[in-house]
Amino acid sequence: MQSEPAIQIQRLNHSFGKSNLKKQVLFDVNLDIFAGEIVLMTGPSGSGKTTLLTLVGSLRSAQEGSLKILGQELCGARTRTLDRARRNNGYIFQAHNLHSSLTALQNVMMGLEVHPHYSKAQMRDRASAMLAQVGLEERIHYFPDDLSGGQKQRVAIARALVSHPKLVLADEPTAALDSKSGRNVVELMQRLAKEQGCTILMVTHDNRILDIADRIVHMEDGYLAPQAVLASRR
Amino acid sequence: MNLLRSFVRRTPLGWLQLSKEKSRLLVALSGVAFADILMLMQLGFQGALFESGVQMPKSLNADIIITGSEIINFNNADTFPRGRLYQALDVPGVEQASPLYLSLTRWKHPITLEKGTVLLLGLDPNLEQLTRPDVKAQLDKIRLPDRILFDQNMRGDFDAVIAKIQQGTVPTTEINERQVRLNGLISVGSSFASDGLLLASDQTFLRLFPDRASTKVNLGLLQLAPGANADQVARRLDSYLPDDVQVFTRQQFVEFEYGYWKNNTAIGFIFTLGVAMGFVVGVIIVYQVLATDVNSHLEEYATFRAMGYGHQFLLGIVLEEAVILAVVGFLPSLGIAVGLYHLTRGATSLPVFMTLARAGGFWWRRW
Ligand SMILES: Nc1ncnc2c1ncn2[C@@H]1O[C@H](COP(=O)(O)OP(=O)(O)O)[C@@H](O)[C@H]1O
Ligand SMILES: [Mg+2]
């Protein structure tokens, strides 16, 4: 594949707490993900998946080892650098985390407002187009409270993808959904990612969606298990 | 330009958050308005304290005012020998000097016989010692002995008295066990020192206070020759006259009176404290509202941070909310305060008025 991986993690360690209470949750994690790949991460609860994802997404700063995202080293990076790096990512949480005072359209527009170069009109156009792509063109002026769980998660996906991020990070995005809407949401992500050519790293417990992955990695007690190549299975 | 652009494209999150919860917003705004009203009322009282204190000093028709050296304030102007006024005429630039007598005194309501405290002024009906038009027009009515001009804005119920005076049936009452006749109406109003003003000729004044010698006067009103510099003449007078008098320009005298009410009375401090308390109440209310709002949006804010919005952005939301609460809460409180000022004016006859400065937030200014 490509020469430079979109995500390049080497000998990454991470601990919470200080001195006596210090608890290491990631041990010598190594992982390369190439542009355009869809990688799923599975593993038991408490094994460190969310921690790794938040590190990759610049939500917390890496302490030890090397973490290169889109060519930029984030280990030991400053707050401002992290703030900026986040704008390149689309982050999807377990809960939709939509802003309840904003309509679906306004929520999606927030995904663009963080990039200073869009005008208001451009933001509105792109956001409604994105909502149409996730099948919510009829609901763009609904508030989150008036949408179903699956619809809310689709708005969250639209918000994450509207700025065409190079990297999409998703932390159990289907956990709060029934299996059918879960499946829909994931397929939607897969389709959009392929269209936009972005890289996806998704944490999931959901066995029914493993087939969308190009590759699955497994986290166990802070160690990332050998990478199984699944593309052949398809 | 850039700022305007970023303002236009910015989602007004603070406003949207506040307006989503209508009832919470209403409670928050009432809280802010309440604190504002509290402060405006205290400021109104304080303003009335000052204004009622200086309105007579302001209406003195004089360029320079001489008082006894022990003067506390206008209402308690210590006496000094009248001879100082003749001496003052020696100083170049001084054209005219006239005495003014005054005394805070008890009197009786002409009909109910209730006692009250009034400021009685004794002036020379042949001179225009006050600039007030209502006084100037009625000087003839106090030329005869024991005739008095009555303050129709006096604190208390004087409707019947006023009606009588207007009909020309002159009511009488007693001051210092002497009968006086209320011969005309002026409109001054009460102050924190007196219920209102009574105006008599200097002759009447001295008859009412037989133990006061005419040679002891309270204020000396000096008028200067055209073109004379008041500050200069005041300085010359100050060094020329003995130490038992003080010399003020009109402006200085007004400032002196302001200073007295502001710094030397307990009530001036109480109003300042009242304003401070209103402010603290407002801060607590706004803090409470904002803290609750931030708390109920923590997840959304965390998501914004995850999307790449900086800390500033979140501060901006809170700031926007604070500004909205402050401005939108202030406007109705302004209206309500004006109404309450009106009620207070009716009840106390104090000059409680909304000033432009106060309505504009420049509460410490006097315009
Ligand atoms: N902010 C934190 N402070 C302290 N410990 C944490 C924190 N976040 C996670 N942990 C601990 O790190 C370990 C891994 O957590 P996490 O990455 O959330 O696991 P997973 O997402 O795989 O369930 C857990 O033992 C958890 O208790
Ligand atoms: Mg987790």
Side-chain angles (χ1 to χ4, degrees):
Chain A
M1 273 205 208
Q2 292 91 339
S3 50
E4 174 92 325
I7 302 174
Q8 190 172 32
I9 305 171
Q10 283 164 355
R11 296 182 312 282
L12 186 70
N13 292 318
H14 196 84
S15 318
F16 288 112
K18 288 207 171 76
S19 59
N20 285 358
L21 297 171
K22 186 160 167 165
K23 183 184 165 210
Q24 188 165 358
V25 295
L26 292 182
F27 300 86
D28 191 31
V29 171
N30 293 284
L31 178 66
D32 283 354
I33 299 178
F34 290 91
E37 261 193 309
I38 299 182
V39 176
L40 295 196
M41 178 161 42
T42 59
S45 193
S47 57
K49 305 182 297 297
T50 296
T51 306
L52 181 60
L53 206 68
T54 52
L55 283 167
V56 172
S58 321
L59 302 196
R60 52 176 100 250
S61 50
Q63 300 162 340
E64 210 184 310
S66 164
L67 174 64
K68 270 193 194 164
I69 307 297
L70 306 170
Q72 186 178 23
E73 178 58 65
L74 290 180
C75 190
R78 301 206 275 150
T79 319
R80 275 186 72 86
T81 317
L82 292 177
D83 276 358
R84 250 162 222 295
R86 280 179 216 147
R87 298 184 191 172
N88 301 325
N89 311 335
Y91 210 106
I92 300 163
F93 299 90
Q94 185 170 350
H96 56 83
N97 287 0
L98 297 179
H99 197 299
S100 59
S101 308
L102 300 182
T103 62
L105 182 66
Q106 288 168 326
N107 265 295
V108 176
M109 283 168 71
M110 290 309 294
L112 292 171
E113 198 176 302
V114 73
H115 301 279
H117 54 273
Y118 295 106
S119 72
K120 190 100 188 169
Q122 283 172 324
M123 297 196 312
R124 195 173 296 121
D125 293 347
R126 282 188 170 232
S128 16
M130 194 68 218
L131 279 166
Q133 278 187 280
V134 300
L136 290 174
E137 60 268 71
E138 314 269 271
R139 304 245 142 93
I140 59 174
H141 296 305
Y142 281 46
F143 284 98
D145 287 348
D146 302 326
L147 297 172
S148 71
Q151 288 169 336
K152 279 187 266 207
Q153 198 57 296
R154 278 190 275 160
V155 177
I157 289 168
R159 178 176 63 182
L161 296 184
V162 67
S163 62
H164 290 203
K166 302 232 171 51
L167 194 59
V168 173
L169 304 169
D171 196 352
E172 306 191 37
T174 62
L177 305 179
D178 62 66
S179 61
K180 185 157 170 294
S181 12
R183 179 81 208 170
N184 284 343
V185 159
V186 171
E187 276 174 359
L188 183 68
M189 283 178 63
Q190 183 190 24
R191 195 185 84 227
L192 294 173
K194 288 295 173 209
E195 279 169 23
Q196 297 184 3
C198 64
T199 313
I200 297 187
L201 175 58
M202 188 191 307
V203 171
T204 187
H205 280 309
D206 195 341
N207 291 325
R208 292 166 305 221
I209 61 170
L210 297 182
D211 58 293
I212 66 153
D214 295 321
R215 190 147 61 100
I216 296 177
V217 294
H218 190 74
M219 181 75 86
E220 192 103 36
D221 291 338
Y223 292 92
L224 203 60
Q227 307 170 0
V229 178
L230 289 178
S232 54
R233 255 221 248 160
R234 288 234 205 114
Chain B
M1 211 44 230
N2 244 337
L3 211 69
L4 186 72
R5 202 182 100 90
S6 60
F7 187 77
V8 167
R9 68 189 292 279
R10 181 177 176 279
T11 303
L13 261 172
W15 166 243
L16 292 172
Q17 260 171 234
L18 284 175
S19 56
K20 188 84 200 303
E21 307 252 0
K22 294 277 186 317
S23 55
R24 197 197 276 177
L25 176 63
L26 210 65
V27 171
L29 287 177
S30 336
V32 171
F34 175 75
D36 284 345
I37 292 169
L38 224 63
M39 284 190 281
L40 286 172
M41 289 317 289
Q42 297 294 329
L43 288 168
F45 297 152
Q46 195 178 47
L49 175 74
F50 297 159
E51 283 315 313
S52 65
V54 299
Q55 74 169 338
M56 285 318 291
K58 270 183 174 168
S59 69
L60 295 176
N61 185 17
D63 301 307
I64 288 178
I65 292 136
I66 296 179
T67 72
S69 58
E70 307 273 280
I71 181 172
I72 300 169
N73 68 359
F74 177 78
N75 298 284
N76 296 291
D78 188 38
T79 58
F80 62 92
R82 191 168 57 186
R84 301 287 171 253
L85 295 181
Y86 305 129
Q87 284 175 285
L89 287 171
D90 297 344
V91 173
V94 179
E95 200 163 72
Q96 196 192 71
S98 61
L100 194 67
Y101 301 89
L102 58 83
S103 172
L104 278 177
T105 182
R106 309 244 302 190
W107 83 311
K108 278 190 198 141
H109 188 293
I111 297 169
T112 65
L113 304 183
E114 263 177 84
K115 294 196 181 87
T117 304
V118 293
L119 180 67
L120 180 65
L121 229 61
L123 47 74
D124 185 341
N126 299 310
L127 302 173
E128 290 190 348
Q129 291 182 309
L130 298 180
T131 53
R132 303 183 60 92
D134 53 350
V135 175
K136 282 201 263 185
Q138 299 185 87
L139 287 175
D140 282 342
K141 295 190 180 170
I142 54 171
R143 279 180 200 281
L144 290 178
D146 300 334
R147 304 298 150 94
I148 281 187
L149 296 180
F150 170 75
D151 181 358
Q152 61 178 333
N153 290 345
M154 189 165 298
R155 172 166 43 225
D157 182 9
F158 289 96
D159 290 350
V161 178
I162 294 165
K164 275 191 166 181
I165 297 172
Q166 279 165 342
Q167 289 157 14
T169 48
V170 177
T172 60
T173 184
E174 271 182 16
I175 296 174
N176 253 354
E177 293 165 15
R178 252 190 102 88
Q179 224 184 34
V180 293
R181 301 157 60 91
L182 305 183
N183 219 16
L185 291 173
I186 51 176
S187 332
V188 178
S190 67
S191 74
F192 284 76
S194 69
D195 294 341
L197 190 73
L198 294 183
L199 231 145
S201 70
D202 43 6
Q203 296 309 314
T204 302
F205 183 94
L206 293 169
R207 285 160 70 116
L208 291 176
F209 299 98
D211 45 343
R212 287 261 312 249
S214 67
T215 53
K216 291 284 190 185
V217 306
N218 298 97
L219 295 175
L221 308 185
L222 307 194
Q223 267 151 359
L224 302 187
N229 179 316
D231 289 316
Q232 251 170 32
V233 178
R235 250 173 283 134
R236 263 185 246 143
L237 281 165
D238 203 26
S239 52
Y240 180 71
L241 294 175
D243 276 349
D244 56 358
V245 294
Q246 272 189 73
V247 181
F248 298 90
T249 63
R250 213 172 78 99
Q251 187 55 35
Q252 285 168 346
F253 192 57
V254 171
E255 288 302 325
F256 170 79
E257 192 69 11
Y258 264 121
Y260 169 78
W261 290 104
K262 187 170 182 188
N263 303 322
N264 297 359
T265 61
I267 200 151
F269 172 74
I270 287 169
F271 291 142
T272 308
L273 191 69
V275 174
M277 274 162 55
F279 182 76
V280 171
V281 168
V283 167
I284 291 172
I285 290 172
V286 172
Y287 175 82
Q288 202 57 42
V289 171
L290 293 181
T292 311
D293 192 71
V294 167
N295 264 323
S296 62
H297 288 98
L298 279 182
E299 278 137 34
E300 285 104 322
Y301 291 167
T303 309
F304 286 141
R305 294 286 276 131
M307 287 160 69
Y309 287 95
H311 195 64
Q312 305 285 334
F313 174 81
L314 300 185
L315 284 181
I317 298 176
V318 179
L319 196 70
E320 179 187 346
E321 291 188 324
V323 169
I324 289 170
L325 288 177
V327 172
V328 180
F330 181 63
L331 294 178
S333 77
L334 206 55
I336 294 171
V338 168
L340 290 174
Y341 281 8
H342 186 80
L343 288 180
T344 312
R345 253 184 344 255
T348 63
S349 298
L350 286 168
V352 190
F353 288 100
M354 184 60 73
T355 62
L356 207 61
R358 198 178 303 145
F362 300 91
W363 68 90
W364 64 96
R365 305 305 302 267
R366 290 195 210 123
W367 34 270

